Amino acid sequence: MSGKAQYASELTKPPIPDESVSKYAVDPLEFDPVAERKLVRKLDYHIVPIIMLLYLFSFLDRVNIGNARLYGMEEDLGLRGNQYQTAVSILFVTYLLSELPSNLVLKKFRPSRWISFITTAWGIIATLQGLTQSFAGLIVCRLLLGLVEGGLFPGAAVYLTFFYTKRELALRIGYLFVSAAIAGAVGGLLGYGIGFMDGVSGQRGWRWILIIEGLPSFVLGIATWFLLADNPETAHYLSPDEKELMRLRRARQAGQTESAQRFHRKDVYAGLKDWKIYAFCAGQFGTDTMLYGYSTFLPTIIKGLGKWTTAQTQALTIPCYAVGALSYVVIASFSDRQQKRGLYTVIFGTISVIGYGVLISNSSTGVHYLGCFLVAMGLYVCCGLPLAWLPSNQPRYGKRTTATGLQLTIGNASGIMAPFLYPTAEGPRFVKGHAVSLALVGMSSVLFAFMSWYLSQKNRRRERGEEDEKVANMSESEIDELGDASPRYIFTI
């Protein structure tokens, strides 16, 4: 082995194995793995609970209209035909329009301030939604709610990349989907409990559901201003040594230069022109169709399986969400350790496809309820893993925030369509809704399988040196600034 090759080989042995380490690094980054694990635990303690609560209340405020429907909302507001579905879907018009712009201004306005502002705003709007008196008023509330809520998930996903490496990201983004599952389960419990307030102060139960579930977001939004750090450098809970360790962790990842962590317009343009990002967006659209259709209409679907009371329907939704959350936490842990995103996304997407097939089949109530569990098993895995997969392959901040914004914007566009897949007139079987969801999740599974294959082939080419001619006349610093376009960058598959 030549001296140069031996030196490069030595540099690929960090204390904690990380596939993102550049085999051409200049300085060996050596630090105590015990200290790193302690640091990650501290990050989890200070970041994860806040982010989980933010998304829990966001998701709850967005989909609790499904529980409100069970307590007389349509009757009180005089909703006819597809007006309920319109009210559900209209939120996503402004939600989509705000996602990418919100991500692009996240650093400019500071994450703690921006996320605090949008959370407080949606808390106020979600609460006032319970006071609306007409279909028009409900539409206005839903449009405003989408406008301010749209920035949270893409902002949270990018925010997590400021603190965690690609080997830690899937589980932390997974906590957001655990929050969504908890919101679904808690929404059912709260809907059941708050439903007993029907008639209190002359207000119907559905109004109390929206009002009571909206108030915590307002309080949390104010608290976020003080609790959320903007970045590792300003994190009050990190000591100087821990901040230095954060810097070393970032430098250990290929393409994570100081310049790459700043916003550059050229990176935004690079993201807008990268076909791989749009492939992920198309896959996200298919899986998000399942997410919004299932999360919003699960009470309606289960109610159609038998002669359940409203309370029984709410209770039967909880085990489904629990299975979905548990599946994601377990699989995200394996995915982070093995750095395999595509494999698990495809496997669990296939499980959801089977679940929809069971729901479509002419079977007994018990078998159909089993189908709900099968869909839930794959739901958060094949929605959540791609949201960790794409940004972990974008070392430059501008391209990463653009990629995540696009992925969520196009993915969440399915929220406009999903409510119309389950019109009341097609109950209780909802064959069309299940069939369309099955087809789109199947499409997404095929797309993600292709992307996993493509990126693995790309890695093999780079490992064989077949793309090295692209940087033949470039300096080491210039190569480092190429991000994922560098022939030395290895993709997570």
Side-chain angles (χ1 to χ4, degrees):
M1 180 182 291
S2 68
K4 180 178 179 181
Q6 183 176 3
Y7 180 60
S9 175
E10 288 297 315
L11 295 184
T12 59
K13 299 177 181 178
I16 298 176
D18 192 328
E19 290 178 3
S20 62
V21 178
S22 172
K23 60 183 178 181
Y24 300 93
V26 176
D27 296 315
L29 302 174
E30 298 180 356
F31 46 83
D32 184 3
V34 175
E36 185 178 27
R37 287 193 291 269
K38 182 179 178 182
L39 171 64
V40 173
R41 286 195 298 270
K42 178 178 276 193
L43 294 174
D44 287 342
Y45 178 79
H46 287 277
I47 295 173
V48 170
I50 301 172
I51 295 297
M52 284 188 70
L53 282 174
L54 285 166
Y55 194 63
L56 188 153
F57 290 129
S58 166
F59 200 83
L60 187 63
D61 290 337
R62 205 180 327 144
V63 303
N64 59 8
I65 190 172
N67 290 318
R69 185 187 194 187
L70 300 176
Y71 290 90
M73 185 183 71
E74 288 179 293
E75 177 187 347
D76 286 0
L77 297 182
L79 304 186
R80 300 287 184 271
N82 285 333
Q83 287 184 329
Y84 169 78
Q85 283 77 12
T86 300
V88 172
S89 67
I90 200 73
L91 172 143
F92 290 97
V93 174
T94 47
Y95 192 98
L96 301 176
L97 293 175
S98 66
E99 286 183 299
L100 181 56
S102 177
N103 253 19
L104 296 178
V105 302
L106 181 67
K107 274 195 171 180
K108 180 178 178 62
F109 293 131
R110 299 173 54 184
S112 62
R113 304 303 187 249
W114 182 245
I115 292 175
S116 172
F117 164 71
I118 62 177
T119 305
T120 304
W122 96 56
I124 294 171
I125 296 165
T127 303
L128 294 178
Q129 191 177 215
L131 303 179
T132 187
Q133 301 295 322
S134 65
F135 173 63
L138 181 63
I139 291 296
V140 170
C141 287
R142 299 289 290 178
L143 285 170
L144 292 175
L145 191 62
L147 183 65
V148 291
E149 271 198 11
L152 178 66
F153 194 102
V158 170
Y159 179 80
L160 290 172
T161 67
F162 297 168
F163 295 87
Y164 294 101
T165 69
K166 63 195 296 184
R167 279 194 170 274
E168 302 156 353
L169 193 58
L171 183 59
R172 276 71 192 184
I173 287 183
Y175 290 142
L176 297 178
F177 284 93
V178 171
S179 297
I182 294 172
V186 169
L189 288 172
L190 285 176
Y192 173 64
I194 299 172
F196 288 107
M197 293 181 65
D198 192 30
V200 173
S201 298
Q203 301 297 326
R204 293 293 303 274
W206 71 268
R207 294 188 184 278
W208 286 118
I209 289 173
L210 298 178
I211 292 169
I212 291 175
E213 293 181 5
L215 287 172
S217 298
F218 173 76
V219 176
L220 181 61
I222 296 173
T224 299
W225 184 286
F226 304 99
L227 296 176
L228 206 63
D230 292 317
N231 51 54
E233 291 75 19
T234 61
H236 63 87
Y237 48 83
L238 295 179
S239 68
D241 286 343
E242 289 169 332
K243 290 179 181 180
E244 175 62 15
L245 182 52
M246 288 293 294
R247 186 192 69 77
L248 292 174
R249 277 161 49 86
R250 183 172 62 203
R252 192 178 62 180
Q253 299 182 93
Q256 295 273 3
T257 65
E258 289 295 326
S259 174
Q261 303 317 304
R262 294 193 291 269
F263 182 85
H264 299 283
R265 289 187 179 181
K266 66 177 184 179
D267 293 329
V268 175
Y269 299 145
L272 293 173
K273 294 185 291 185
D274 190 339
W275 71 267
K276 297 189 296 296
I277 292 175
Y278 291 101
F280 274 91
C281 291
Q284 199 69 41
F285 179 90
T287 59
D288 281 3
T289 300
M290 170 173 60
L291 175 67
Y292 289 115
Y294 188 88
S295 300
T296 305
F297 290 95
L298 182 60
T300 304
I301 293 168
I302 290 180
K303 191 171 186 178
L305 298 181
K307 297 180 179 179
W308 317 115
T309 65
T310 298
Q312 289 172 330
T313 299
Q314 299 284 24
L316 287 169
T317 64
I318 296 170
C320 298
Y321 288 119
V323 167
L326 181 62
S327 297
Y328 189 93
V329 170
V330 172
I331 297 306
S333 300
F334 281 115
S335 176
D336 272 343
R337 282 199 292 268
Q338 300 172 2
Q339 284 298 279
K340 294 186 184 298
R341 310 298 194 205
L343 174 66
Y344 292 113
T345 301
V346 173
I347 289 173
F348 280 80
T350 303
I351 292 173
S352 288
V353 166
I354 294 171
Y356 279 116
V358 171
L359 286 171
I360 292 171
S361 69
N362 187 17
S363 304
S364 66
T365 296
V367 173
H368 284 153
Y369 189 47
L370 172 64
C372 293
F373 280 95
L374 292 174
V375 173
M377 282 183 67
L379 175 64
Y380 300 115
V381 174
C382 59
C383 287
L385 284 186
L387 290 171
W389 189 3
L390 181 59
S392 67
N393 280 330
Q394 310 297 332
R396 297 189 64 82
Y397 169 73
K399 189 175 181 183
R400 182 167 69 245
T401 194
T402 302
T404 301
L406 283 173
Q407 185 180 18
L408 286 161
T409 297
I410 294 174
N412 285 327
S414 63
I416 298 175
M417 173 190 71
F420 295 97
L421 297 178
Y422 293 92
T424 305
E426 296 189 6
R429 292 282 306 281
F430 299 107
V431 172
K432 181 183 74 174
H434 296 327
V436 173
S437 298
L438 183 155
L440 287 174
V441 175
M443 173 205 74
S444 297
S445 298
V446 171
L447 264 176
F448 290 132
F450 170 76
M451 291 309 300
S452 182
W453 173 83
Y454 174 82
L455 294 176
S456 65
Q457 294 300 308
K458 193 80 169 172
N459 287 344
R460 291 190 181 96
R461 285 177 52 83
R462 290 180 173 184
E463 289 167 356
R464 291 193 297 263
E466 295 178 16
E467 297 184 11
D468 287 353
E469 71 277 1
K470 297 178 181 178
V471 296
N473 299 316
M474 299 176 68
S475 67
E476 289 296 320
S477 59
E478 289 174 327
I479 295 171
D480 287 340
E481 294 296 333
L482 291 176
D484 66 300
S486 168
R488 300 175 181 178
Y489 186 85
I490 300 300
F491 292 102
T492 299
I493 59 171

